[in-house]
């Protein structure tokens, strides 16, 4: 699927949110339909810290109003000043923001699919869902699966959030930010 956004909306979002070439703009998909599908929030905080050492980054937190506890953890962390939450925006307002970003890193969520459809390279973290079924349709999605699993072996009962390699996610992320 491909999502098209009016160029005037993309340019407006660029102005409103201060997009420029000084920063790499990353969508962090920290939400998910349940706790077994979420990579731990501390991992995202540590990932943001490490990526910001590598390149100057801004992080757009893709999560909803029901995720305020995890959003607050990010905002209150040492990287919080480089983060903007999208929880109070409509999808219509979020899409032009995403279109201005450089990369999606996050759980297997609707945001991952929207980012892919907008042409963003996306690192999908599949801890408890079938990675091939939800990533194999798009060349924009690179799946990260739990250690000991393959893209074909993951299912809705993988329960592998403790087996996602932090370094694998970090290295894939760096590769996309070159």
């Amino acid at each position: 699927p491909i999502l098209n956004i009016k160029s005037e909306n993309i340019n407006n979002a660029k102005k409103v949110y201060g997009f420029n070439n000084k920063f790499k703009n990353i969508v962090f998909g920290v939400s998910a339909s349940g706790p077994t599908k979420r990579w731990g929030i501390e991992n995202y905080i540590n990932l943001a810290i490490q990526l910001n050492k590598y390149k100057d980054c801004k992080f757009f937190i893709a999560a909803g109003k029901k995720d305020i506890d995890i959003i607050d953890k990010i905002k209150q962390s040492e990287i919080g000043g480089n983060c903007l939450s999208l929880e109070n925006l409509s999808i219509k307002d979020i899409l032009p923001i995403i279109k201005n970003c450089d990369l999606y890193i996050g759980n297997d969520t609707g945001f991952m699919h929207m980012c892919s459809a907008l042409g963003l390279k996306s690192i999908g973290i599949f801890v408890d869902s079938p990675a091939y079924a939800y990533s194999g349709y798009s060349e924009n999605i690179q799946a990260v699966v739990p250690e000991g699993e393959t893209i074909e072996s993951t299912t809705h009962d993988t329960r592998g959030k403790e087996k996602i390699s932090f370094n694998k996610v970090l290295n894939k992320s760096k590769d996309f930010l070159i």
Side-chain angles (χ1 to χ4, degrees):
I2 297 172
L3 288 172
N4 293 310
I5 311 274
K6 291 180 182 177
S7 60
E8 63 191 61
N9 293 342
I10 295 167
N11 291 332
N12 186 51
K14 186 178 277 192
K15 290 176 192 171
V16 170
Y17 294 96
F19 286 96
N20 61 53
N21 293 334
K22 294 179 185 177
F23 294 93
K24 290 294 183 175
N25 298 286
I26 301 170
V27 178
F28 261 2
V30 299
S31 186
S33 60
T36 64
K37 289 184 68 176
R38 289 187 188 127
W39 195 40
I41 200 63
E42 291 300 323
N43 291 315
Y44 286 103
I45 293 168
N46 291 332
L47 183 63
I49 292 167
Q50 293 304 311
L51 290 176
N52 215 39
K53 289 177 182 176
Y54 180 71
K55 296 264 188 185
D56 289 332
C57 300
K58 287 185 185 177
F59 302 93
F60 292 84
I61 309 306
K65 292 179 182 183
K66 293 181 180 180
D67 299 309
I68 200 68
D69 56 328
I70 58 177
I71 294 167
D72 284 347
K73 284 182 183 177
I74 295 171
K75 286 180 178 179
Q76 294 166 6
S77 74
E78 72 179 80
I79 200 71
N82 292 44
C83 300
L84 176 73
S85 176
L86 305 175
E87 91 263 11
N88 290 318
L89 300 177
S90 69
I91 295 297
K92 180 181 175 185
D93 293 332
I94 291 171
L95 291 176
I97 295 169
I98 289 173
K99 185 65 177 169
N100 280 291
C101 289
D102 301 298
L103 178 65
Y104 170 89
I105 306 167
N107 301 318
D108 166 29
T109 68
F111 280 109
M112 178 189 73
H113 300 288
M114 287 188 288
C115 288
S116 172
L118 287 168
L120 259 67
K121 294 298 181 188
S122 302
I123 299 170
I125 302 170
F126 290 85
V127 300
D128 198 28
S129 59
Y132 184 75
Y134 297 142
S135 69
Y137 72 91
S138 174
E139 63 185 34
N140 287 331
I141 302 172
Q142 297 288 315
V144 175
V145 299
E147 296 293 322
E149 297 288 342
T150 67
I151 191 170
E152 292 86 6
S153 70
T154 55
T155 69
H156 284 294
D157 292 317
T158 301
R159 307 273 196 246
K161 71 179 180 178
E162 303 305 323
K163 295 180 182 176
I164 295 291
S165 166
F166 178 84
N167 286 332
K168 187 179 224 179
V169 176
L170 175 62
N171 291 332
K172 276 188 182 255
S173 302
K174 284 180 177 180
D175 288 346
F176 282 116
L177 296 178
I178 293 175

